[in-house]
Amino acid sequence: MGMYSEAIKNRYREVRRRMEKKLQGKEQPKYLTGVKRQAQEQSDHKQTMDMVNSPPHYNKAGIETIDAIKAMTDKGYEYYLQGNIMKYLWRYRYKNGVEDLKKAQWYLNELIDELEDDDKT
């Protein structure tokens, strides 16, 4: 096992040395620039998405996750909303800043709407 891992390390070093020698004074390989370009495109796309009101990962097969949770929890839905309000207020300084405050606000507005709907019935 030791000889095998040493042979792999040596081969890796040799390939790395050849690549470094090849790249001296040249552009990086095209596959790296493609990866960088793709990462930038994904970053730009994320910035245009509304991660507070309609995050795309919460809408699969045309069903909003929040609607499914509301249907499953019935009267427990208010507590679910309250828990999310507390979660986002708790973590905003350490994770997503203003975005988490907006999420807390969204859940608070949803809770207010829910309670006002209950008062009407």
Side-chain angles (χ1 to χ4, degrees):
M1 186 82 161
M3 282 181 25
Y4 181 72
S5 62
E6 193 60 38
I8 291 174
K9 286 179 189 177
N10 288 336
R11 180 69 179 146
Y12 171 78
R13 286 185 195 117
E14 179 185 335
V15 169
R16 184 175 169 197
R17 184 180 48 78
R18 286 183 185 176
M19 287 299 293
E20 287 173 352
K21 191 174 183 180
K22 234 181 195 183
L23 293 175
Q24 285 178 342
K26 294 184 181 179
E27 289 183 28
Q28 294 206 349
K30 288 185 180 181
Y31 73 90
L32 287 179
T33 56
V35 169
K36 288 179 183 176
R37 184 176 55 252
Q38 182 182 9
Q40 184 61 47
E41 288 171 0
Q42 288 174 347
S43 175
D44 292 345
H45 179 67
K46 183 177 180 186
Q47 290 173 2
T48 62
M49 293 184 296
D50 186 347
M51 298 303 287
V52 175
N53 295 302
S54 188
H57 55 279
Y58 283 156
N59 185 344
K60 296 294 181 195
I63 300 169
E64 285 282 341
T65 303
I66 194 75
D67 294 332
I69 291 169
K70 184 176 182 178
M72 288 186 296
T73 57
D74 195 43
K75 293 294 180 186
Y77 184 61
E78 291 175 20
Y79 299 109
Y80 167 79
L81 296 171
Q82 184 180 357
N84 277 312
I85 294 164
M86 292 186 301
K87 173 181 73 175
Y88 287 116
L89 288 175
W90 187 270
R91 77 180 204 181
Y92 83 94
R93 290 179 193 247
Y94 313 105
K95 193 161 183 189
N96 296 324
V98 173
E99 183 179 305
D100 278 350
L101 291 174
K102 288 179 180 180
K103 288 179 181 180
Q105 184 178 35
W106 187 92
Y107 281 103
L108 179 59
N109 291 338
E110 182 72 11
L111 179 58
I112 291 168
D113 290 346
E114 193 68 21
L115 294 174
E116 286 176 345
D117 287 347
D118 285 351
D119 288 345
K120 290 179 186 176
T121 57

